[in-house]
Amino acid sequence: MSESDKSMHSGLLAVEGVWWKAIPKQEKLWITIAFIWCLILFAMMPLWHMRGGQNPSGIRAKVTPAEYVERVERFVEDYKVGEDNGFPVVEPPAGAHIYLLARMWQWYPVLKLKKNTKYILHLSSADINHGFSLFPLNLNFQVVPGYDYGLKVEPNQSGDFRIICNEFCGIGHHTMVGKVIVID
Amino acid sequence: MIQTLQAKFRTCSVTGLKVNRDSELLIKANAVIAVVCLLVGALAAFGLVLTRWQAIHLLPADWFYRFLTLHGLNMLIFFIIFFEMAVLYFAGPVLLNSRQPAPKIAWASFGLMVIGMLLVNTMVLTGNADVLFTSYPPLRAHPVYYLGIILFAVGALVVTGLFFASLVVAKREKSYSGSIPLVSFGALTAAIIAAITLVHGAMTYIPTFLWSLGYMELDPQVYRLLFWALGHSSQQINVAAMVALWYFLGAVTVGGVVLNEKVSRTAFILYILFISMASAHHLLVDPGFGPAWKVWNTSYAMYLAVLASMVHGFTVPGGIEMGLRLRGYTQGFFGWLRKAPWGDPGFSGLMLSLVIFGFLGGITGVTIGTEQINIIVHNTMRLPGHFHATVAGGTALSFMAATYYILPLIFQKRVSFWPLAKIQPYLFGGGITTMAMAMIYMGIFGVPRRLWDTSFSNAPFSVEFHPVVWVTQTIFGIGGLLAATGALVFVIIAVATVFFGKPLTPESIAKSASGIPQGILKLPPQIYSGSEVQNVHERGAKGTVILVFIFLGCFVLYYFVNWKILSFVWKVG
């Protein structure tokens, strides 16, 4: 490349003199549009907090695994209505706090909920990290030992749902499936 | 004195750069180890694909999770960071015509990294670290596993320090004048992000090492925060290094130019300032953080790092287009693309890397990293679908493309199996694209990542996936096998060239062209000069303008479709 072509050079060469030059108009246009798009991307999240129905905020608190297991046992005792495959089936009243336990390798207990009813679903673990994935809705939350994640939920359809563990939790990970029944 | 100096340098017969022997050997050693790690990762990939493809289901559960740990560490950490060390030795002393500062320390840190890598891989293969790439406590590995990662990280941190030192040495000894080249500036960006990342690595693994020995307690949520400041930020080193290589490859393959130094350099600075916040991408549906923290961090403070990538997404192809227009390819909007050297693996690798990273990896990444949309994505197959497009289809492919130029320029060898090399980027890029799209599709149906048995046959309650999932699994399997084969072909070409390749001399170049990329052999001359250059520039890169608006259209569509899907699920909050 000849010396006269200084205005156009490759990224391999050191730059002489002042390179802080005006931005050509095509780049300027693209940068402006890209920046506006970035602001839209950003604005969507607070907007959904105000107007949307799905947010991962929840009630967040610390809890020791032993305390949480105790709460779950109390919850099961209070509202147990039957058994399914060796798991207690629990039917809490509308608006109740639900305590669901993740442990290697089961979701405990089986939940029986009513359609269009509000509950507060608490998630925590007795041992290591697990992943709450409500199937086939594809609603996913991280379950961390030592932390209580209380999410307000409102089922909008009835049916037979599964809870799949989607965080690796050891050799039995692929057997960790729970059940949620939603009735009309 | 002059004689000893001469003995330390050779002048590159192609680029005219003064290459010092110390840096050259360090580049070779790091590149070779990088390829060995790639081989381990690719072999593990075969096992993983053939197991998750439920119709074949090859490995038993324990070996599947072991292979998954091995694959993640060797691909995401060892292959990529060893290669990035080579890039730093190249973009520092070599591009700046300078000497290698403290070569003995450089070799010591290389040794430290190799020892760390060997310790980690030994622990994984002996079943002492079935904790996957993330090793979330209280899941526990053997203490030597954490020690290995610490040694590796310390070695890498010293190399980034040496890169900074090489900039000081080159400046003080006046081996270049003016400002450092853009490619070196990009490497500097990568090195700064690497330093930030590796400090987080120390903050993560030193307490974890002590915890594994029973000396202290560890909070699982704090670990997740610090781990991702390492785990995600290390992928941002890749982004910066990859973009630097895009500029490098654009220049050497077709004579690409820099449209505007201010724009490209400012975009790199945006990476440094904002990209480390992306640790939050992994914590959007975690119990430990509030919505304000999540929104601010996941968006890199109003998406300023995304803005940087969108800027490079214009200036890299724009610079290539402009370079080709200056060389006479001025026909229409896309004459420069049609006439481009698609048979040069350096060029095809660059372009595929650019398209796969932008269209597939970038769009999905920003969308799934949105606080609320993450609810329908977290830990599903959409995640590995996204990051195979960015890290494998983007970063790894750009490293492969660069290797086709490093082999002749640094190793001074003809690339072996040249006809195979010409199709390798298409094989790997095509395989990754097919596989990543199939994974994204499966994830939309709720198929989890990191799972040995998609049929859940031993679970207390049955899980029936939509039948389309099984079709998608076959496509995933075929794409995955193609990609792993593509990586294996690359390893074979690289190893054959380094150890058995024909040497490249100025005399032999004239005789035969096989194994020499077009950019080295016959870069078309620039036909415009003087004021005409300015005229071509003013007419602009109009083909690129069309391409970026197609990109934006895809982005907007995919983004809002995901909000729509989210609005259908249960109310949660």
Side-chain angles (χ1 to χ4, degrees), chain B residues 294-343:
Chain B
K294 287 175 180 174
V295 168
W296 181 251
N297 284 285
T298 197
S299 69
Y300 316 91
M302 299 201 264
Y303 290 100
L304 294 174
V306 174
L307 179 66
S309 288
M310 287 176 81
V311 169
H312 290 304
F314 183 98
T315 56
V316 171
I320 291 168
E321 176 175 358
M322 191 63 70
L324 282 164
R325 284 187 186 278
L326 288 168
R327 286 172 162 73
Y329 299 100
T330 50
Q331 201 193 7
F333 283 96
F334 296 113
W336 58 282
L337 264 186
R338 273 199 305 278
K339 301 274 170 59
W342 294 101

Side-chain angles (χ1 to χ4, degrees), chain B residues 387-430:
Chain B
F387 71 68
H388 278 84
T390 53
V391 182
T395 305
L397 188 49
S398 75
F399 288 4
M400 291 170 179
T403 304
Y404 291 117
Y405 276 77
I406 292 171
L407 290 172
L409 292 177
I410 298 291
F411 288 82
Q412 296 173 283
K413 296 280 178 70
R414 281 175 193 274
V415 179
S416 303
F417 307 119
W418 186 237
L420 205 56
K422 286 179 169 183
I423 59 162
Q424 188 273 334
Y426 297 98
L427 184 62
F428 183 73

Side-chain angles (χ1 to χ4, degrees), chain B residues 439-459:
Chain B
M439 287 167 121
I440 289 167
Y441 208 65
M442 273 191 273
I444 292 171
F445 287 94
V447 178
R449 67 190 288 196
R450 296 178 153 185
L451 181 75
W452 172 65
D453 180 10
T454 316
S455 70
F456 290 99
S457 51
N458 294 319

Side-chain angles (χ1 to χ4, degrees), chain B residues 96 236 256 515:
Chain B
L96 299 176
Q236 317 288 18

Side-chain angles (χ1 to χ4, degrees), chain B residues 3 80 107 118 128 131 134 242 257 301 324 375-376 393 416 436 453:
Chain B
Q3 262 176 346
I80 279 182
W107 283 109
L118 290 174
N128 283 305
V131 290
T134 47
M242 171 187 71
V257 296
L324 282 164
I375 294 173
I376 52 169
S416 303
D453 180 10

Side-chain angles (χ1 to χ4, degrees), chain B residues 43 89 105 109 132 195 246 283 327 352 364 376 383 400-401 443:
Chain B
L43 292 175
Y89 287 121
I105 295 177
S109 43
L132 302 197
W246 283 349
L283 311 168
R327 286 172 162 73
L352 288 171
T364 60
I376 52 169
L383 260 299
M400 291 170 179

Side-chain angles (χ1 to χ4, degrees), chain B residues 27-52:
Chain B
I27 293 171
K28 286 183 181 178
N30 279 284
V32 167
I33 299 294
V35 168
V36 172
C37 297
L38 178 66
L39 175 65
V40 175
L43 292 175
F46 278 107
L48 296 175
V49 169
L50 291 174
T51 308
R52 274 229 78 160

